[in-house]
């Protein structure tokens, strides 16, 4: 994978590993829907991933150490995929992306539930940076002016 890396930037390096649409959706399905077999991931995807893309992304995730692949003891011809600690550490990343999507996109309220259940307090350092960015970019910092479509507000210290 090192040949594909374009810079030493940690954001770039992370995106090189797990940043494409399909990889994130596979991780979503493994984390939030407990899909661990190829067919479950293939057929359970609302986004209609193809089998060749799924196979490629699973192989990439295994090579990156984010998931493992093992023979399924319940069936000789099946493999079972499991998250590693490295994969489990992506929960806050996916939760944050889900929270953002639930707040700013026309998301299905039923599918937004898991993201909203993982609501969190923003770390103080993040809140400070966000406040500074609002000032630099001329974005109002009054939480009432940052209302969501459903009327709930967003503040730099609490996501709702």
């Amino acid at each position: 994978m090192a040949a594909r890396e374009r810079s030493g930037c940690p954001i770039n390096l992370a995106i090189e590993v797990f940043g494409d649409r399909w990889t994130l959706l596979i991780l979503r399905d493994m984390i939030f829907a407990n899909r661990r077999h190829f067919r479950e991931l293939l057929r359970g995807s609302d986004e209609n991933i193809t089998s060749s893309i799924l196979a490629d992304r699973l192989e990439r995730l295994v090579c990156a150490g984010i998931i493992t692949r093992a023979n399924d003891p319940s069936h000789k011809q099946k493999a079972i995929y499991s998250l590693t600690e490295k994969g489990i550490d992506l929960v806050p990343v996916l939760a944050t992306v889900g929270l953002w999507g639930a707040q700013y996109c026309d998301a299905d309220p039923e599918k937004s539930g898991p993201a909203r259940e993982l609501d969190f307090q923003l770390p103080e350092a993040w809140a400070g940076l966000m406040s500074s960015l609002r000032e630099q970019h001329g974005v109002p910092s009054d939480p009432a002016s940052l209302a969501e479509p459903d009327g709930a507000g967003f503040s730099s210290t609490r996501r709702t």
Side-chain angles (χ1 to χ4, degrees):
M1 177 134 338
R4 293 185 54 223
E5 296 169 358
R6 290 186 280 275
S7 80
C9 168
I11 294 171
N12 174 67
L13 295 173
I15 288 170
E16 291 283 339
V17 174
F18 65 79
D20 72 275
R21 171 187 183 202
W22 295 114
T23 302
L24 288 171
L25 294 174
I26 291 164
L27 290 167
R28 173 205 64 192
D29 289 350
M30 289 185 73
I31 291 168
F32 297 109
N34 195 31
R35 294 187 185 129
R36 299 184 57 201
H37 294 94
F38 188 90
R39 284 188 194 261
E40 291 173 335
L41 291 161
L42 184 65
R43 293 189 177 153
S45 171
D46 290 339
E47 293 79 19
N48 298 315
I49 189 169
T50 66
S51 60
S52 60
I53 289 175
L54 176 58
D56 177 71
R57 296 319 188 274
L58 288 170
E59 183 179 334
R60 287 185 194 185
L61 287 166
V62 168
C63 289
I66 294 172
I67 64 173
T68 60
R69 181 185 189 278
N71 292 330
D72 186 336
S74 69
H75 193 287
K76 289 181 183 180
Q77 294 178 330
K78 279 182 155 181
I80 189 163
Y81 294 93
S82 299
L83 293 163
T84 63
E85 185 61 31
K86 199 173 179 180
I88 292 167
D89 277 350
L90 287 169
V91 167
V93 173
L94 281 136
T96 301
V97 170
L99 285 166
W100 187 91
Q103 182 157 349
Y104 294 110
C105 300
D106 188 22
D108 180 337
E110 286 186 33
K111 292 183 178 183
S112 297
R116 292 198 187 276
E117 288 174 16
L118 295 172
D119 195 1
F120 62 94
Q121 291 280 2
L122 290 177
E124 194 172 315
W126 293 9
L129 174 60
M130 292 166 73
S131 178
S132 174
L133 288 168
R134 284 187 190 98
E135 188 175 311
Q136 290 172 11
H137 294 264
V139 177
S141 59
D142 175 19
S145 66
L146 299 172
E148 293 181 43
D150 66 4
F154 174 88
S155 80
S156 63
T157 58
R158 178 83 177 148
R159 291 187 171 216
T160 56

